[in-house]
């Protein structure tokens, strides 16, 4: 089954032009925005597939009062908190937090958890 998509994920709220590394509108990285016209169809599809998880990271970053910064750890994108910890929502819907410096990791089932409570949990780490 073929998925029909718009030409671009852009929703005309671009913040990469303001210096953000990840657009607060469409959730693409600066590199993805600037290279979109030059990407192959497969490369664009890979970006489209990353956007739902990235949008969750954007929402959590905003609830924590931060801009989203991304790091790739163990083959997955993780958001980075200003204090240095990393976070992501896994495939099972659990919010994961990792402190690479101290080799600690924790998880929280975020089903039914408000965005504000999830952000508070992260900030308490």
């Amino acid at each position: 089954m073929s998925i029909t998509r718009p030409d671009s994920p852009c929703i005309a709220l671009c913040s990469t032009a303001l210096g953000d590394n990840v657009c607060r509108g469409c959730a693409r990285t600066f590199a993805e925005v600037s290279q979109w016209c030059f990407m192959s169809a497969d490369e664009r599809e890979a970006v489209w597939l990353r956007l739902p998880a990235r949008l969750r990271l954007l929402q959590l970053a905003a609830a924590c009062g931060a801009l989203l910064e991304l790091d790739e750890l163990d083959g997955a994108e993780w958001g980075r908190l200003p204090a240095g910890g990393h976070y992501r929502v896994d495939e099972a819907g659990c919010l994961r937090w990792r402190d690479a410096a101290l080799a600690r990791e924790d998880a929280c089932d975020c089903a039914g958890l408000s965005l504000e409570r999830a952000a508070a949990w992260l900030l308490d780490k």
Side-chain angles (χ1 to χ4, degrees):
M1 179 171 122
S2 177
I3 297 173
T4 303
R5 300 194 189 277
D7 290 337
S8 164
C10 182
I11 61 169
L13 295 173
C14 190
S15 65
T16 58
L18 303 173
D20 290 353
N21 289 323
V22 179
C23 179
R24 288 179 257 171
C26 69
R28 289 180 294 166
T29 65
F30 176 78
E32 291 165 348
V33 170
S34 62
Q35 293 300 310
W36 189 258
C37 294
F38 305 106
M39 288 181 179
S40 69
D42 288 342
E43 290 170 325
R44 288 182 185 180
E45 183 62 19
V47 172
W48 276 106
L49 293 174
R50 284 192 294 268
L51 295 182
R54 218 183 265 166
L55 285 167
R56 288 190 295 274
L57 295 179
L58 267 171
Q59 292 171 334
L60 283 165
C64 290
L67 296 175
L68 178 58
E69 298 292 337
L70 292 173
D71 290 320
E72 183 147 337
L73 305 171
D74 303 327
E77 285 187 336
W78 290 69
R80 181 176 1 108
L81 293 170
H86 290 87
Y87 63 96
R88 70 184 285 261
V89 179
D90 68 16
E91 298 77 20
C94 288
L95 178 58
R96 299 200 164 280
W97 171 84
R98 178 188 284 184
D99 181 353
L102 301 175
R104 293 184 312 164
E105 190 168 326
D106 200 358
C108 170
D109 182 3
C110 55
L113 199 61
S114 72
L115 189 57
E116 292 77 19
R117 298 271 301 146
W121 183 81
L122 284 174
L123 293 172
D124 283 343
K125 297 293 172 189

